[in-house]
Amino acid sequence: MNNPSRLLSFLALLVSVTIGAHAQAPAGQSAQLERGRYLVERVGLCADCHSPRDQKGEFVMEHWLKGAALPFQPTVEMPWSPVAPPIAGLPSMNDADALRFLTNGMRPDGSLPRPPMPQFRFNEADALAVIAYLRSLH
Ligand code: HEC
């Protein structure tokens, strides 16, 4: 490579390839995040309770999973939480507690969250994917 402009464009290509490789998350990690997003958005439907809606009943995307007052209530007397706390970033639990909570449905002290929070029993890999996805949200 004795032509200086060819050498320069080769170097530019090398730099862009190197930067591109660093900008991407490792394959395993992004597959886990995708799995987590799928479980949260398509299976667990966490947003139904944990995301606020506007006057038309549509999700306010800037506050995705940032907690909401529930727009519905039971017709009979029963334990109930009228508010779903924020879960974007999973602020209320460390990873170990969140893993237990999502695999057996119990809080660290053994208590159950009040309805309508479902008692989820994800397997460990799926619970870890949900945790990774929620932590990735700010
Ligand atoms: C049908 C409504 C509903 C759905 C669906 C729902 N939640 Fe909740 N969630 C709640 C309510 C209400 C609470 C508050 C319960 C309480 O305070 O006792 C809660 C509490 C929580 C908490 C906090 C527990 C604590 O004590 O700190 C976490 C974490 C959580 N939910 C995660 C999720 C995830 C993850 C999903 C989806 C996979 C989900 N929730 C789906 C209603 C819901």
Side-chain angles (χ1 to χ4, degrees):
M1 219 176 289
N2 45 12
N3 178 333
S5 76
R6 280 190 60 203
L7 177 63
L8 270 184
S9 56
F10 173 73
L11 285 177
L13 177 73
L14 198 68
V15 167
S16 66
V17 166
T18 311
I19 292 171
H22 278 272
Q24 270 177 3
Q29 193 183 327
S30 60
Q32 187 190 43
L33 285 180
E34 265 321 296
R35 176 81 183 157
R37 179 201 298 277
Y38 162 75
L39 291 168
V40 166
E41 294 185 357
R42 315 293 279 280
V43 182
L45 303 176
C46 317
D48 274 9
C49 298
H50 288 273
S51 279
R53 296 168 192 265
D54 63 19
Q55 297 292 326
K56 293 188 204 147
E58 284 161 14
F59 289 125
V60 182
M61 293 315 292
E62 305 88 77
H63 298 296
W64 184 242
L65 298 177
K66 290 191 175 163
L70 299 181
F72 54 91
Q73 58 185 33
T75 55
V76 292
E77 196 69 32
M78 62 180 283
W80 185 259
S81 170
V83 172
I87 56 172
L90 214 48
S92 70
M93 290 188 191
N94 64 31
D95 284 357
D97 289 343
L99 179 61
R100 229 170 301 133
F101 181 67
L102 291 173
T103 51
N104 70 14
M106 280 183 249
R107 294 201 189 93
D109 65 0
S111 67
L112 291 171
R114 286 165 296 171
M117 174 63 192
Q119 194 175 3
F120 287 110
R121 292 183 185 79
F122 290 102
N123 68 30
E124 189 172 322
D126 285 348
L128 290 172
V130 168
I131 293 166
Y133 170 64
L134 293 176
R135 291 256 190 257
S136 78
L137 304 174
H138 304 288

